[in-house]
Amino acid sequence: MRLSIPLVSTLLLIGLSGCTPIEIKDALENQKPKVSVADQRLTRLDFKRVNMAFGIQVDNPNPIAIQLAGLDYDLKLADQSFVTGKQGKQMRLAASASSRIELPLSISFQELYQGIAALKGKQQIPYELTTGLLINVPLLGKLRYPVTTRGTLPLPRLPELSLQNLSLEKLNFTSATLTLKLAVHNPNAFSLALNRLNYDFKVNGKRWASGNTQALGNLAQQQKSTISLPITLNFMELGSGLYSLLQGGQPLNYSLSGKLDARSGHKLIGSFDMPFDTSGRVALSR
């Protein structure tokens, strides 16, 4: 039994009398909704998470409206199922027209890096999203219409800041001049403008230096740079024992904390603040 479009409409309106469910299903297969992913975009991107939105288009070729009863989704990252779920979203899908359904998803980079070890050093990750739309069909119940889309996601990482070197430039009985060098590494596929550095540097529990430096220059993608900070120590303020400490040649216990203000070359990230707090032992070079 072959059903024309007007006949399908009429049968649906009168309760599909006279047709078996199999005949109705075969007829609807010829006029089933077409589901596609119309667009996908990043709505937010920073060093903690990425928010995405997928626009799903449903083309209903039937002369009567049909009802969306919900949807399910499975987002795979690097071939691993990472975000799955269901939504009870309901809406009317207009007759002989296209309707748009938006599916927002959010991904935590911390969970991503912990869950997928192979991402180390990667600048992006492939994804595959499969969405199933549940559509109510009279007598037949809910039919699922799947659609799959693929693409890639950027993987931004915070710059890495560490103590590179502490050198003694000048020493006398009243004061000492040193240079503290910090290494900054940009592991990303975009550049960074280093705007300002607030820092607090302590050795053996005593503050040796603190300050605020600005306009530190640009750091190209996947490049390293050095920030040199001059330090002047006054023995009258810090104690005469500091002279012996600097002469001793033993590694020093240090702590370095503060905040790096920068601006990324990625339009979705823009400006950001990166707190840092590190400690360890450093040998004093001469």
Side-chain angles (χ1 to χ4, degrees):
M1 176 180 180
R2 183 175 181 81
L3 302 178
S4 65
I5 294 175
L7 182 56
V8 170
S9 175
T10 302
L11 290 173
L12 289 173
L13 290 173
I14 65 174
L16 302 169
S17 59
C19 296
T20 67
I22 294 177
E23 291 172 330
I24 295 168
K25 185 175 182 179
D26 289 343
L28 288 176
E29 279 296 312
N30 296 325
Q31 290 300 117
K32 68 181 182 180
K34 296 180 180 178
V35 180
S36 60
V37 177
D39 58 81
Q40 56 249 25
R41 66 190 190 280
L42 301 182
T43 57
R44 175 187 173 187
L45 178 67
D46 55 33
F47 295 100
K48 293 182 179 180
R49 66 190 316 104
V50 56
N51 292 347
M52 307 176 65
F54 295 88
I56 302 171
Q57 179 174 307
V58 183
D59 296 315
N60 176 19
N62 295 287
I64 62 170
I66 53 180
Q67 186 71 22
L68 175 71
L71 59 86
D72 59 72
Y73 54 88
D74 181 7
L75 178 64
K76 292 182 179 179
L77 302 173
D79 296 325
Q80 296 186 37
S81 185
F82 195 77
V83 180
T84 61
K86 295 181 179 180
Q87 291 186 5
K89 185 178 183 68
Q90 297 187 11
M91 65 179 291
R92 182 178 179 272
L93 305 175
S96 303
S98 295
S99 300
R100 188 178 186 278
I101 303 164
E102 184 156 297
L103 175 64
L105 294 177
S106 183
I107 302 168
S108 164
F109 284 125
Q110 181 178 2
E111 295 176 359
L112 184 59
Y113 294 136
Q114 291 175 347
I116 304 178
L119 294 182
K120 185 177 181 180
K122 301 288 185 180
Q123 296 295 331
Q124 59 184 17
I125 182 174
Y127 72 82
E128 177 183 284
L129 174 68
T130 299
T131 307
L133 300 188
L134 300 177
I135 296 178
N136 268 326
V137 178
L139 294 185
L140 301 179
K142 296 177 182 177
L143 300 183
R144 183 178 182 272
Y145 293 87
V147 60
T148 298
T149 186
R150 298 173 179 86
T152 58
L153 291 176
L155 294 174
R157 285 180 167 85
L158 282 169
E160 301 162 5
L161 188 144
S162 60
L163 191 154
Q164 183 181 69
N165 184 48
L166 180 63
S167 59
L168 180 62
E169 309 294 340
K170 183 180 178 182
L171 177 64
N172 57 45
F173 291 109
T174 60
S175 65
T177 301
L178 303 93
T179 299
L180 174 65
K181 290 185 178 181
L182 307 180
V184 184
H185 176 222
N186 176 17
N188 297 288
F190 49 81
S191 63
L192 294 175
L194 306 180
N195 298 327
R196 183 170 58 189
L197 176 72
N198 294 304
Y199 65 93
D200 186 65
F201 180 61
K202 295 180 180 179
V203 173
N204 291 349
K206 292 187 177 182
R207 179 176 288 106
W208 277 22
S210 61
N212 187 335
T213 61
Q214 300 185 25
L216 300 172
N218 295 322
L219 186 54
Q221 61 185 44
Q222 298 179 332
Q223 295 296 313
K224 294 182 178 180
S225 180
T226 300
I227 300 174
S228 295
L229 302 173
I231 298 176
T232 299
L233 302 178
N234 188 319
F235 298 158
M236 294 289 292
E237 297 176 357
L238 295 174
S240 58
L242 186 55
Y243 180 88
S244 300
L245 181 67
L246 295 175
Q247 286 280 58
Q250 298 296 319
L252 306 173
N253 296 314
Y254 77 88
S255 64
L256 177 66
S257 61
K259 183 178 67 172
L260 176 67
D261 297 343
R263 181 174 179 82
S264 78
H266 197 297
K267 62 182 181 180
L268 288 180
I269 296 178
S271 298
F272 64 94
D273 298 336
M274 186 192 79
F276 58 88
D277 189 351
T278 183
S279 61
R281 290 172 65 80
V282 59
L284 185 63
S285 62
R286 300 173 185 270

